[in-house]
Amino acid sequence: MVSYKELGLVNSVKLFADANQHGYAIPAYNFNNMEQLQAIVMGCAQSDSPVIIQVSKGARQYANQTLLRYMAQGAVAMAREMGSNIPVVLHLDHGDSFELCQSCIETGFSSVMLDGSHLPYEENIKLTRKVVEYAHEHDVTVEGELGVLAGIEDEVSAAKSHYTQPEEVEDFVKRTGVDSLAISIGTSHGAYKFKLKPGEEVPPLRFDILEEISKRIPGFPIVLHGSSSVIPEYIEMINQYGGKMDGAVGIPESQLRKAAGMAVCKINIDSDGRLAMTAKIREVFAKKPEEFDPRKYLGPARDMLRDLIIHKNKNVLGSAGQGNRVFATL
Ligand code: G3H
Ligand code: 13P
Ligand code: ZN
């Protein structure tokens, strides 16, 4: 058993309380490899933002679970070497079983998600409760989910989104003991969040549902998954340099900013980072076809991701400038 505390990581309780109080959201960035993690640490240290680095079941399989754990430990050390005391949370994204959550907790995660959103309500409560009981024995925070996002959630697929029903949240939170709750108000995973006809605009998020939820569980931390904006410049770059991503569209940044000022305390972003890196790598390959040193294309891709993260923290989440201040309160 390795405790996250030995690795310099923190859980999310006080971070969410601070984000709630000051009207911003903690960024949760997914990583699968070294360059993504470097970009997250550099971007968050440079913009002084608290950060949740998150790992999916697929990432754990791809990168090796032991290596990932040491990488997370290295991420904290790297931030400190940069002279930054930003708080770092290591989170399991979309955990689908008690055993997976347990294994993460035993290998140094400070936070886990049990995504039982596809299960019947009572089963979701039962499984989430079991994870909470184990996690809380180890001072690890737990995110639950109610409502189903459109698209693919790891191996969980849903043809269309089923918005969270506000009348269920109070009961769910009370009976499971979760520390935060992911809800469905119109976001979805991936780079194709809406099918728009020519001239059609992205439909706004269901802020009415978010408001109703926060009335029923005041001050409780809410999480938004599927929150990439699918930045048009990246899609243009990808298409310009040989890619094919027509019709890709995401959540406008202004809507995410609004959500961060409400009860939303954690915003999950993965696709935008994938797009930024892919766009840059495609550009390098197109402009310098003789290049074969991975550092010469992964390096620029990493810098592009770092700049994106700084932009998100400053202009979308509002988390920039909060990191060292919050750390001093932990
Ligand atoms: O919500 C899912 C995340 O974007 C992780 O995706 O399962 O492909 O690692 P993944
Ligand atoms: P995006 O696909 O919109 O980046 O969402 C990521 C996410 O929700 C990870 O859990
Ligand atoms: Zn997600």
Side-chain angles (χ1 to χ4, degrees):
M1 171 92 197
V2 187
S3 166
Y4 67 86
K5 293 173 189 172
E6 295 162 36
L7 310 184
L9 298 158
V10 298
N11 72 24
S12 61
V13 174
K14 289 192 177 158
L15 303 192
F16 289 162
D18 191 81
N20 237 335
Q21 195 189 339
H22 293 97
Y24 68 95
I26 312 286
Y29 297 116
N30 290 70
F31 75 100
N32 301 269
N33 67 22
M34 184 185 77
E35 283 77 10
Q36 285 175 312
L37 187 57
Q38 287 176 316
I40 296 167
V41 174
M42 290 191 285
C44 290
Q46 283 174 21
S47 59
D48 186 24
S49 171
V51 65
I52 297 173
I53 51 175
Q54 58 185 15
V55 168
S56 69
K57 183 180 170 183
R60 221 163 164 251
Q61 281 159 358
Y62 173 80
N64 180 283
Q65 60 190 63
T66 309
L67 182 57
L68 275 183
R69 198 258 290 172
Y70 282 103
M71 283 171 75
Q73 188 173 359
V76 179
M78 181 180 162
R80 304 299 174 254
E81 263 175 36
M82 291 174 72
S84 168
N85 266 335
I86 52 166
V88 181
V89 175
L90 175 61
H91 177 76
L92 168 68
D93 192 25
H94 294 286
D96 62 355
S97 68
F98 172 79
E99 290 72 22
L100 176 58
C101 293
Q102 184 181 36
S103 164
C104 287
I105 292 166
E106 286 175 353
T107 54
F109 282 60
S110 57
S111 178
V112 294
M113 174 186 195
L114 187 285
D115 178 359
S117 58
H118 55 291
L119 296 172
Y121 183 67
E122 289 298 327
E123 281 179 44
N124 187 2
I125 290 191
K126 200 169 154 201
L127 185 54
T128 307
R129 174 80 220 159
K130 190 175 171 190
V131 170
V132 168
E133 278 169 8
Y134 182 76
H136 284 182
E137 278 171 28
H138 301 279
D139 218 4
V140 166
T141 36
V142 180
E143 175 182 324
E145 180 164 340
L146 259 187
V148 182
L149 273 64
I152 306 290
E153 297 202 5
D154 268 16
E155 285 141 27
V156 183
S157 74
K160 62 185 172 87
S161 112
H162 300 280
Y163 298 125
T164 305
Q165 293 174 31
E167 51 283 8
E168 287 182 347
V169 294
E170 201 179 344
D171 181 63
F172 185 84
V173 163
K174 211 185 281 168
R175 286 172 62 200
T176 57
V178 284
D179 303 285
S180 60
L181 182 68
I183 60 165
S184 173
I185 55 166
T187 62
S188 61
H189 290 102
Y192 300 87
K193 299 191 190 299
F194 306 96
K195 273 204 179 88
L196 299 178
K197 296 194 187 100
E200 234 174 28
E201 295 214 347
V202 170
L205 295 179
R206 292 291 304 270
F207 289 107
D208 56 324
I209 300 180
L210 176 59
E211 261 168 19
E212 186 57 35
I213 289 171
S214 32
K215 259 190 224 151
R216 289 173 190 253
I217 43 172
F220 193 80
I222 299 297
V223 178
L224 270 196
H225 282 248
S227 297
S228 281
S229 295
V230 188
I231 296 171
E233 288 87 326
Y234 298 157
I235 301 299
E236 278 162 32
M237 256 175 99
I238 288 171
N239 289 340
Q240 180 186 352
Y241 295 116
K244 201 169 179 347
M245 291 200 67
D246 300 324
V249 62
I251 312 294
E253 291 182 342
S254 58
Q255 300 222 2
L256 297 166
R257 185 72 208 97
K258 182 173 169 184
M262 298 169 71
V264 171
C265 292
K266 172 176 181 266
I267 291 188
N268 284 14
I269 298 164
D270 187 3
S271 297
D272 276 342
R274 297 178 181 193
L275 292 168
M277 293 191 91
T278 301
K280 198 64 190 179
I281 289 169
R282 280 196 177 280
E283 185 190 55
V284 174
F285 283 167
K287 289 187 173 167
K288 298 180 185 168
E290 73 287 358
E291 205 56 82
F292 71 101
D293 178 346
R295 292 171 297 185
K296 298 285 166 53
Y297 51 88
L298 293 177
R302 178 184 65 194
D303 294 347
M304 183 105 152
L305 178 54
R306 177 203 56 208
D307 293 348
L308 169 71
I309 283 169
I310 293 173
H311 160 71
K312 296 255 181 208
N313 294 348
K314 280 189 180 160
N315 306 317
V316 184
L317 291 110
S319 60
Q322 314 282 357
N324 280 260
R325 180 189 60 75
V326 178
F327 189 78
T329 70
L330 298 178

